[in-house]
Amino acid sequence: MKFEERTRSDFSFFLMIIGILVLINIISIKLFVRIDLTKTHAYSLSKVSKQYMRQLKDPLTVKAFFTKKLPPPYNANARYLRDLLEDYRAYSNGNFNYQFLDPADDPKLAQEARSLGVYQIQLTAVEKDKFEQKNGYMGLAIVYQGRKEVIPLLQDTTGMEYQLSGMIKKLIQDEMKVVGITQGFGEPAYETELSNLVTILSKNYEVQPVNLKTGTIPERIDALVVAGPTEMIPDDKRYLLDHFLRSGKNLALLVRMVKADARQTMQAKIVDSQLSQLVAAYGGQIMPDLVYDAQCQKISVAQRGPGFIMQNIVPYPPFPLVTHVDAEHLIVKNLESFTLPFVSSLSLNQAVVEKNQLVGSVLARSSEHAWSQMKFFMLSPQYIQPPQKNEMKQYDLMLTLTGAFPSAFGEGQVPLSSDGSAVLPAYIKNAKPARLVVVGGADFITNDFIDLRRKDGLAQLTQNMIDWVAQDDALIAIRSKGGEAAAIGKIAEGHRQFIKIFNSAGLPVLVIIVGLVLWRRMEARRAIIAAQFNQSPADAQRTPPEEQASSDQQKEDA
């Protein structure tokens, strides 16, 4: 009888749990709630994405062209994308719709995908212990008010929300901000050396070159990147930069004090573009040095021998690996690490900053094991020798300044045009608030370090910097979501060996010890039960204590 009552009670409890789950699902159809405990909120929409959804005036449609049976790891992309699109739909008040379409066996859908810019691709799959080539679709198009944005190939989901929200913003805004990149005074070439930078910026901005040597800064430029000139900039052209900043527009000054050639000559030389004079007027100081750091990026070096060439991976101190950042500043807030190659040290001049009521921040520093070289620069990795530890220190590598900037030129010191081809704008007496980023180098924005195939900290840093200068802060918070795993901090050699030994041998031994302890506790419990009911431990193991107690009670009643 007791068994039947217990079974009936368990079945009723099971039905109650099922009913509660069904009720929760019914409520969740109308009420959308999610708790995201990840550090970067990788599994929930950011505020700016929700804001874009509320700004939709007409229906927006996402057409995702995905083959149904994709090989791993691509089969997970569709699931992640579907969940993300469902989040967008939940906050859109009915103006966001999405469709998952498989054009594999439908010529009309295949034609539609091609017309939107999504094409069939070949994927490598492992089936039956061999590699096979399969055709499939894995892209999407966003259509809004007759315009479209396309992701032809969605290879991974890293930064997926940033891509989608960036395209949606591009579709719903009336006009895009314009970012200019200077040319004419020895900067990296816009169409070749900076093409990767232009490509990633073009997703959210209109990007155009600004040739200071032959003209002025166009009025429509909202933010300007001075991309590391290596030639002297005359007074009138520096006055244009000064006027641009003080008129309330924002500037990124990437100042090369040393030009390094690590590809061919392995030599470096000091250059003076005169930009350091502008930086000094605004509350900063740049040194004509190169910073070397024991905490650095590694490079591949070819070692030639008789009849062979061997590639060795070696640390390269002229490429400091930055892990010390201002965790409160938007540009570097969620960055674990990034490399700043061939960079000079800089600092804030607190007297100038306080006098002009500016706000200055040091965004990035080297490690405490860094040193600098001046006048003579060693670039060959086999010849770079670090100094004594007491000669090493930490260097500032990147800073920002905000406020109404003082001028590097006095009111009566407006220079004349150097070639007479342009009329310089009038001096601004009362400057408007603006933003300024200063870095003692520009190599990090070139194609040598920004790789479109790789989503690393340096590409993210560059995009964050441009977003901040263009006063487009909203997208910065999205970009870091779902990024790379957090980097492990530097571990001492002794600790590293202990961790390796513990993982390989310590964990199995620990599991065995825990198992033995649990086994001994169970045996002790059986012995106690056997002593209570005058049984051997083997009988106690076979007879549950509840049944034994019931049997003894029946005997006493009889």
Side-chain angles (χ1 to χ4, degrees), residues 349-408:
N349 186 333
Q350 293 296 341
V352 176
V353 171
E354 293 173 4
K355 177 182 177 182
N356 295 280
Q357 298 181 342
L358 301 174
V359 178
S361 300
V362 176
L363 299 191
R365 293 182 171 92
S366 69
S367 75
E368 296 83 357
H369 307 289
W371 67 98
S372 69
Q373 289 185 356
M374 302 179 68
K375 296 183 180 179
F376 178 75
F377 308 99
M378 184 62 66
L379 299 184
S380 298
Q382 61 267 34
Y383 297 122
I384 297 176
Q385 297 295 329
Q388 300 296 321
K389 287 188 177 182
N390 59 359
E391 299 178 18
M392 296 180 178
K393 65 177 185 178
Q394 193 171 47
Y395 292 87
D396 297 343
L397 304 178
M398 185 176 185
L399 59 84
T400 60
L401 289 158
T402 56
F405 288 89
S407 177

Side-chain angles (χ1 to χ4, degrees), residues 69-74 122-135:
K69 294 183 179 180
L70 288 170
Y74 308 110
Q122 274 197 342
L123 300 170
T124 303
V126 180
E127 290 188 358
K128 298 179 181 179
D129 299 328
K130 62 179 181 179
F131 290 98
E132 293 184 359
Q133 297 293 327
K134 285 193 171 184
N135 295 327

Side-chain angles (χ1 to χ4, degrees), residues 33-319:
V33 178
R34 170 174 290 173
I35 299 175
D36 188 351
L37 300 179
T38 58
K39 180 181 178 181
T40 59
H41 302 288
Y43 298 101
S44 57
L45 282 187
S46 62
K47 292 181 180 179
V48 66
S49 296
K50 297 174 186 177
Q51 178 185 340
Y52 292 158
M53 291 298 96
R54 290 190 291 267
Q55 292 176 359
L56 292 177
K57 299 176 181 178
D58 296 304
L60 181 147
T61 302
V62 177
K63 294 189 176 184
F65 298 96
F66 271 78
T67 301
K68 289 183 180 178
K69 294 183 179 180
L70 288 170
Y74 308 110
N75 55 351
N77 292 356
R79 291 195 300 270
Y80 179 88
L81 179 62
R82 190 185 297 273
D83 291 342
L84 185 59
L85 294 178
E86 184 60 30
D87 286 354
Y88 278 98
R89 187 198 62 78
Y91 293 101
S92 67
N93 296 321
N95 284 327
F96 185 94
N97 304 290
Y98 66 90
Q99 304 170 355
F100 271 79
L101 307 170
D102 185 1
D105 300 320
D106 191 331
K108 291 184 178 180
L109 284 180
Q111 175 61 32
E112 181 181 4
R114 287 193 296 271
S115 66
L116 290 172
V118 179
Y119 298 92
Q120 191 178 53
I121 58 172
Q122 274 197 342
L123 300 170
T124 303
V126 180
E127 290 188 358
K128 298 179 181 179
D129 299 328
K130 62 179 181 179
F131 290 98
E132 293 184 359
Q133 297 293 327
K134 285 193 171 184
N135 295 327
Y137 289 85
M138 202 165 55
L140 62 86
I142 305 177
V143 182
Y144 181 71
Q145 293 182 342
R147 294 178 293 166
K148 68 176 182 179
E149 288 291 325
V150 184
I151 300 180
L153 177 60
L154 200 156
Q155 287 184 298
D156 62 74
T157 57
T158 304
M160 189 72 252
E161 184 188 348
Y162 174 77
Q163 293 186 62
L164 289 177
S165 292
M167 291 191 295
I168 292 170
K169 176 194 172 194
K170 196 173 181 179
L171 290 172
I172 66 177
Q173 66 183 1
D174 296 327
E175 60 181 14
M176 299 176 65
K177 289 187 177 181
V178 183
V179 174
I181 301 177
T182 63
Q183 297 285 278
F185 289 100
E187 295 95 335
Y190 179 86
E191 295 182 351
T192 54
E193 296 175 273
L194 298 178
S195 59
N196 287 351
L197 173 66
V198 174
T199 298
I200 62 175
L201 294 184
S202 297
K203 296 177 181 178
N204 298 310
Y205 303 100
E206 181 182 338
V207 187
Q208 67 177 60
V210 176
N211 195 321
L212 281 180
K213 196 166 191 175
T214 59
T216 61
I217 304 173
E219 185 65 28
R220 61 193 304 264
I221 298 293
D222 297 298
L224 184 64
V225 179
V226 182
T230 55
E231 301 173 9
M232 189 191 74
I233 302 177
D235 291 347
D236 61 323
K237 302 302 181 181
R238 284 186 286 111
Y239 175 79
L240 291 176
L241 297 175
D242 183 83
H243 182 273
F244 180 86
L245 181 66
R246 300 185 74 242
S247 65
K249 296 187 177 182
N250 306 313
L251 199 60
L253 283 179
L254 311 184
V255 184
R256 276 181 174 172
M257 302 298 289
V258 178
K259 184 179 180 181
D261 180 11
R263 285 185 175 274
Q264 298 177 354
T265 63
M266 299 301 290
Q267 294 180 357
K269 62 179 182 179
I270 295 176
V271 295
D272 186 9
S273 63
Q274 301 288 308
L275 287 179
S276 58
Q277 296 181 10
L278 290 183
V279 176
Y282 303 147
Q285 183 179 11
I286 303 181
M287 300 298 294
D289 62 2
L290 274 184
V291 175
Y292 296 70
D293 198 334
Q295 178 180 285
C296 57
Q297 185 64 265
K298 293 183 179 181
I299 62 171
S300 177
V301 177
Q303 181 180 354
R304 298 180 179 274
F308 71 89
I309 299 177
M310 187 182 343
Q311 295 291 334
N312 293 325
I313 306 298
V314 299
Y316 194 53
F319 290 0

Side-chain angles (χ1 to χ4, degrees), residues 177 179-180 205 222-225 244-245 248-253 329 331 400 434-438 462-473 476:
K177 289 187 177 181
V179 174
Y205 303 100
D222 297 298
L224 184 64
V225 179
F244 180 86
L245 181 66
K249 296 187 177 182
N250 306 313
L251 199 60
L253 283 179
H329 201 286
I331 294 180
T400 60
R435 294 180 174 186
L436 172 68
V437 175
V438 183
T462 305
Q463 290 175 285
N464 288 356
M465 180 183 71
I466 302 301
D467 286 345
W468 188 81
V469 170
Q471 292 189 336
D472 207 350
D473 300 350
I476 299 178

